[in-house]
Coordinates of all heavy atoms in Angstrom, one line a residue:
N111 N 11.3 20.1 -29.3 CA 11.0 18.7 -29.0 C 11.5 18.3 -27.6 O 10.9 17.6 -26.8 CB 11.5 17.7 -30.0 CG 10.7 17.9 -31.3 OD1 9.5 17.7 -31.4 ND2 11.4 18.4 -32.4
E112 N 12.8 18.7 -27.3 CA 13.4 18.4 -26.0 C 12.6 19.1 -24.9 O 12.4 18.6 -23.8 CB 14.9 18.8 -26.0 CG 15.7 18.0 -26.9 CD 17.1 18.6 -27.3 OE1 17.2 19.8 -27.2 OE2 17.9 17.8 -27.7
T113 N 12.2 20.3 -25.2 CA 11.4 21.1 -24.2 C 10.1 20.3 -23.9 O 9.7 20.2 -22.7 CB 11.1 22.5 -24.7 OG1 12.3 23.2 -24.9 CG2 10.2 23.3 -23.7
E114 N 9.4 19.8 -25.0 CA 8.2 19.1 -24.7 C 8.4 17.9 -23.9 O 7.7 17.6 -23.0 CB 7.5 18.7 -26.1 CG 6.2 18.1 -25.9 CD 5.4 17.9 -27.2 OE1 4.7 18.8 -27.6 OE2 5.6 16.8 -27.8
D115 N 9.5 17.2 -24.2 CA 9.8 16.0 -23.4 C 10.1 16.3 -21.9 O 9.6 15.6 -21.0 CB 11.1 15.2 -24.0 CG 10.8 14.6 -25.3 OD1 9.6 14.5 -25.7 OD2 11.7 14.1 -26.0
A116 N 10.8 17.4 -21.7 CA 11.0 17.8 -20.3 C 9.7 18.1 -19.6 O 9.5 17.8 -18.4 CB 12.0 19.1 -20.3
L117 N 8.8 18.8 -20.3 CA 7.5 19.2 -19.7 C 6.7 17.9 -19.4 O 6.0 17.8 -18.4 CB 6.8 20.1 -20.6 CG 7.3 21.5 -20.7 CD1 6.8 22.3 -21.9 CD2 7.0 22.3 -19.4
I118 N 6.8 17.0 -20.3 CA 6.0 15.7 -20.1 C 6.6 15.0 -18.9 O 5.8 14.5 -18.1 CB 6.1 14.8 -21.4 CG1 5.2 15.5 -22.5 CG2 5.5 13.4 -21.1 CD1 5.4 14.8 -23.9
N119 N 7.9 15.0 -18.8 CA 8.5 14.3 -17.6 C 8.1 15.0 -16.3 O 7.7 14.3 -15.4 CB 10.1 14.4 -17.7 CG 10.7 13.3 -18.6 OD1 10.1 12.2 -18.6 ND2 11.8 13.6 -19.2
L120 N 8.1 16.3 -16.3 CA 7.6 17.0 -15.1 C 6.2 16.7 -14.8 O 5.8 16.4 -13.6 CB 7.8 18.5 -15.3 CG 9.2 19.0 -15.4 CD1 9.2 20.5 -15.7 CD2 10.0 18.8 -14.1
H121 N 5.3 16.6 -15.8 CA 3.9 16.3 -15.7 C 3.8 14.9 -15.0 O 3.0 14.7 -14.1 CB 3.3 16.4 -17.0 CG 1.8 16.1 -17.1 ND1 0.9 16.7 -16.2 CD2 1.1 15.2 -17.8 CE1 -0.3 16.2 -16.5 NE2 -0.2 15.3 -17.4
Y122 N 4.5 13.9 -15.5 CA 4.5 12.6 -15.0 C 4.9 12.5 -13.5 O 4.5 11.8 -12.7 CB 5.4 11.6 -15.8 CG 4.9 11.3 -17.2 CD1 5.7 10.8 -18.1 CD2 3.6 11.5 -17.6 CE1 5.3 10.4 -19.4 CE2 3.1 11.2 -18.9 CZ 4.0 10.7 -19.8 OH 3.6 10.4 -21.1
L123 N 5.9 13.4 -13.2 CA 6.4 13.4 -11.8 C 5.5 14.1 -10.9 O 5.7 14.2 -9.7 CB 7.8 14.1 -11.8 CG 9.0 13.4 -12.4 CD1 10.2 14.3 -12.6 CD2 9.4 12.2 -11.5
G124 N 4.4 14.7 -11.4 CA 3.5 15.4 -10.5 C 3.9 16.8 -10.2 O 3.5 17.4 -9.2
I125 N 4.8 17.4 -11.0 CA 5.3 18.7 -10.7 C 4.5 19.7 -11.6 O 4.6 19.7 -12.8 CB 6.9 18.8 -11.0 CG1 7.6 17.9 -10.0 CG2 7.3 20.3 -10.9 CD1 9.1 17.7 -10.3
D126 N 3.7 20.5 -11.0 CA 2.8 21.4 -11.7 C 3.2 22.9 -11.7 O 2.4 23.7 -12.0 CB 1.4 21.3 -11.1 CG 0.8 19.9 -11.3 OD1 1.2 19.3 -12.3 OD2 0.0 19.5 -10.5
N127 N 4.5 23.1 -11.3 CA 5.0 24.5 -11.3 C 6.2 24.6 -12.2 O 7.0 23.7 -12.2 CB 5.4 24.9 -9.9 CG 4.2 25.1 -9.0 OD1 3.3 25.9 -9.2 ND2 4.1 24.2 -8.0
V128 N 6.3 25.7 -13.0 CA 7.6 25.9 -13.7 C 7.9 27.4 -13.7 O 6.9 28.3 -13.7 CB 7.5 25.5 -15.2 CG1 7.8 24.0 -15.3 CG2 6.3 25.9 -15.9
L129 N 9.1 27.8 -13.6 CA 9.5 29.2 -13.9 C 10.1 29.2 -15.3 O 11.2 28.5 -15.5 CB 10.5 29.7 -12.8 CG 10.9 31.1 -12.9 CD1 9.7 32.0 -12.5 CD2 12.1 31.5 -12.0
V130 N 9.5 30.0 -16.2 CA 9.8 29.9 -17.6 C 10.8 31.1 -17.9 O 10.4 32.3 -17.7 CB 8.5 30.0 -18.4 CG1 8.8 30.5 -19.8 CG2 7.8 28.7 -18.4
L131 N 12.0 30.8 -18.4 CA 13.0 31.8 -18.6 C 13.7 31.6 -20.0 O 13.6 30.5 -20.6 CB 14.1 31.6 -17.6 CG 13.7 31.7 -16.1 CD1 14.5 30.8 -15.3 CD2 13.8 33.1 -15.6
R132 N 14.3 32.7 -20.4 CA 15.1 32.5 -21.6 C 16.4 31.9 -21.4 O 16.9 31.0 -22.1 CB 15.3 33.9 -22.3 CG 16.0 33.8 -23.6 CD 16.5 35.1 -24.1 NE 17.7 35.5 -23.3 CZ 18.3 36.6 -23.5 NH1 18.0 37.5 -24.4 NH2 19.4 37.0 -22.7
G133 N 17.1 32.2 -20.3 CA 18.4 31.8 -20.0 C 19.4 32.8 -20.5 O 19.0 33.7 -21.4
D134 N 20.6 32.8 -20.0 CA 21.6 33.8 -20.5 C 22.4 33.2 -21.7 O 22.3 32.0 -22.0 CB 22.6 34.1 -19.4 CG 22.0 35.1 -18.5 OD1 21.3 36.0 -19.0 OD2 22.1 35.0 -17.2
A135 N 23.3 34.0 -22.3 CA 24.1 33.5 -23.3 C 25.0 32.4 -22.8 O 25.4 32.4 -21.6 CB 25.0 34.7 -23.8
A136 N 25.4 31.4 -23.6 CA 26.3 30.4 -23.2 C 27.7 31.1 -22.9 O 28.0 32.2 -23.4 CB 26.5 29.4 -24.3
K137 N 28.5 30.5 -22.0 CA 29.7 31.1 -21.5 C 30.7 31.6 -22.6 O 31.3 32.6 -22.5 CB 30.5 30.1 -20.6 CG 29.9 29.9 -19.3 CD 30.8 30.6 -18.2 CE 30.0 31.0 -16.9 NZ 29.4 29.9 -16.2
N138 N 30.7 30.9 -23.8 CA 31.6 31.2 -24.8 C 31.0 32.2 -25.9 O 31.6 32.5 -26.9 CB 32.1 30.0 -25.6 CG 30.9 29.1 -26.0 OD1 29.9 29.0 -25.4 ND2 31.1 28.5 -27.2
E139 N 29.7 32.6 -25.6 CA 29.0 33.5 -26.6 C 28.8 34.9 -26.0 O 28.7 35.0 -24.7 CB 27.6 32.9 -26.9 CG 27.7 31.6 -27.8 CD 26.4 30.9 -27.9 OE1 25.4 31.3 -27.2 OE2 26.4 29.9 -28.5
T140 N 28.8 35.9 -26.8 CA 28.6 37.2 -26.3 C 27.2 37.6 -26.2 O 26.8 38.5 -25.4 CB 29.4 38.3 -27.2 OG1 29.0 38.0 -28.5 CG2 30.9 38.2 -27.0
A141 N 26.3 37.0 -27.0 CA 24.9 37.3 -26.9 C 24.1 36.0 -26.9 O 24.6 34.9 -27.4 CB 24.5 38.1 -28.1
F142 N 22.9 36.0 -26.4 CA 22.1 34.8 -26.4 C 21.8 34.3 -27.8 O 21.3 35.1 -28.6 CB 20.8 35.0 -25.6 CG 19.9 33.8 -25.6 CD1 20.1 32.8 -24.7 CD2 18.9 33.7 -26.5 CE1 19.3 31.6 -24.7 CE2 18.0 32.6 -26.5 CZ 18.2 31.5 -25.6
L143 N 22.0 33.0 -28.1 CA 21.7 32.5 -29.4 C 20.7 31.3 -29.1 O 21.1 30.4 -28.4 CB 22.9 31.9 -30.1 CG 23.9 32.9 -30.6 CD1 25.2 32.2 -31.1 CD2 23.3 33.8 -31.7
P144 N 19.6 31.3 -29.7 CA 18.7 30.2 -29.5 C 19.2 28.9 -30.1 O 20.0 29.0 -31.1 CB 17.4 30.6 -30.2 CG 17.7 31.8 -31.0 CD 19.0 32.4 -30.6
E145 N 18.9 27.8 -29.6 CA 19.2 26.5 -30.2 C 18.5 26.4 -31.5 O 17.4 27.0 -31.7 CB 18.7 25.4 -29.2 CG 19.1 24.0 -29.5 CD 20.6 23.8 -29.1 OE1 21.2 24.7 -28.5 OE2 21.1 22.7 -29.4
S146 N 19.1 25.7 -32.4 CA 18.4 25.5 -33.7 C 17.1 24.7 -33.4 O 17.1 23.7 -32.8 CB 19.4 24.6 -34.6 OG 18.7 24.1 -35.6
G147 N 16.0 25.3 -33.9 CA 14.7 24.7 -33.6 C 14.3 24.9 -32.1 O 13.4 24.3 -31.6
G148 N 14.9 25.9 -31.5 CA 14.5 26.2 -30.1 C 13.9 27.6 -30.0 O 13.6 28.3 -31.0
H149 N 13.6 28.0 -28.8 CA 12.9 29.3 -28.6 C 13.9 30.5 -28.4 O 15.0 30.3 -27.8 CB 12.1 29.2 -27.3 CG 11.0 28.2 -27.4 ND1 10.0 28.2 -28.4 CD2 10.7 27.1 -26.6 CE1 9.2 27.2 -28.2 NE2 9.6 26.5 -27.2
K150 N 13.5 31.6 -28.8 CA 14.3 32.8 -28.8 C 14.0 33.6 -27.5 O 14.9 34.2 -26.9 CB 14.0 33.7 -30.0 CG 15.0 34.8 -30.2 CD 14.8 35.5 -31.5 CE 15.7 36.7 -31.7 NZ 15.3 37.5 -32.8
Y151 N 12.8 33.7 -27.1 CA 12.4 34.5 -25.9 C 11.6 33.6 -24.9 O 11.0 32.6 -25.3 CB 11.5 35.7 -26.3 CG 12.2 36.7 -27.1 CD1 11.9 36.8 -28.5 CD2 13.2 37.5 -26.6 CE1 12.6 37.8 -29.3 CE2 13.9 38.4 -27.4 CZ 13.6 38.6 -28.7 OH 14.3 39.5 -29.4
A152 N 11.6 34.0 -23.7 CA 10.8 33.3 -22.7 C 9.4 33.2 -23.1 O 8.7 32.2 -22.8 CB 10.9 34.0 -21.3
S153 N 8.9 34.3 -23.8 CA 7.4 34.2 -24.2 C 7.2 33.1 -25.2 O 6.1 32.5 -25.2 CB 7.0 35.6 -24.8 OG 8.0 36.0 -25.8
D154 N 8.2 32.7 -26.0 CA 8.0 31.6 -26.9 C 7.8 30.3 -26.2 O 7.0 29.4 -26.5 CB 9.1 31.5 -27.9 CG 9.4 32.8 -28.7 OD1 8.4 33.5 -29.0 OD2 10.5 33.1 -29.0
L155 N 8.7 30.1 -25.2 CA 8.7 28.9 -24.3 C 7.3 28.9 -23.5 O 6.7 27.9 -23.4 CB 9.9 29.0 -23.4 CG 10.0 27.9 -22.3 CD1 9.9 26.5 -22.8 CD2 11.3 28.1 -21.5
L156 N 7.0 30.1 -23.1 CA 5.7 30.2 -22.3 C 4.5 29.7 -23.1 O 3.7 29.0 -22.7 CB 5.5 31.6 -21.9 CG 4.4 31.9 -20.9 CD1 4.9 32.9 -19.8 CD2 3.2 32.5 -21.5
K157 N 4.5 30.1 -24.4 CA 3.4 29.7 -25.3 C 3.4 28.1 -25.4 O 2.3 27.5 -25.4 CB 3.6 30.3 -26.7 CG 2.5 29.9 -27.6 CD 2.4 30.6 -28.9 CE 1.2 30.2 -29.8 NZ 1.0 28.8 -29.9
Q158 N 4.6 27.5 -25.5 CA 4.6 26.1 -25.5 C 4.0 25.4 -24.3 O 3.2 24.4 -24.4 CB 6.0 25.5 -25.8 CG 6.1 24.1 -26.1 CD 7.4 23.5 -26.4 OE1 8.4 24.2 -26.4 NE2 7.5 22.3 -26.8
V159 N 4.3 26.0 -23.1 CA 3.7 25.5 -21.9 C 2.2 25.7 -21.8 O 1.4 24.8 -21.5 CB 4.4 26.1 -20.6 CG1 3.9 25.5 -19.4 CG2 5.9 26.0 -20.7
V160 N 1.8 26.9 -22.3 CA 0.3 27.2 -22.3 C -0.4 26.3 -23.2 O -1.5 25.7 -22.9 CB 0.1 28.7 -22.7 CG1 -1.4 29.0 -23.0 CG2 0.6 29.6 -21.6
D161 N 0.2 26.0 -24.4 CA -0.4 25.1 -25.4 C -0.5 23.7 -24.8 O -1.6 23.1 -24.9 CB 0.5 24.9 -26.6 CG 0.3 26.1 -27.6 OD1 -0.7 26.9 -27.4 OD2 1.1 26.2 -28.6
L162 N 0.5 23.2 -24.1 CA 0.5 21.9 -23.5 C -0.6 21.8 -22.4 O -1.3 20.8 -22.2 CB 1.8 21.5 -22.9 CG 2.3 20.1 -23.1 CD1 2.3 19.7 -24.5 CD2 3.7 20.0 -22.5

Side-chain angles (χ1 to χ4, degrees):
N111 291 297
E112 290 161 342
T113 298
E114 184 172 272
D115 289 350
L117 287 164
I118 291 170
N119 276 331
L120 293 173
H121 179 54
Y122 290 163
L123 287 166
I125 296 170
D126 293 332
N127 291 295
V128 280
L129 187 69
V130 162
L131 302 146
R132 187 195 68 180
D134 280 323
K137 283 250 155 64
N138 54 325
E139 290 167 357
T140 48
F142 177 82
L143 290 175
E145 189 73 7
S146 162
H149 296 302
K150 190 171 179 194
Y151 295 109
S153 51
D154 305 326
L155 172 55
L156 190 137
K157 180 172 184 313
Q158 189 174 6
V159 183
V160 169
D161 278 351
L162 222 54

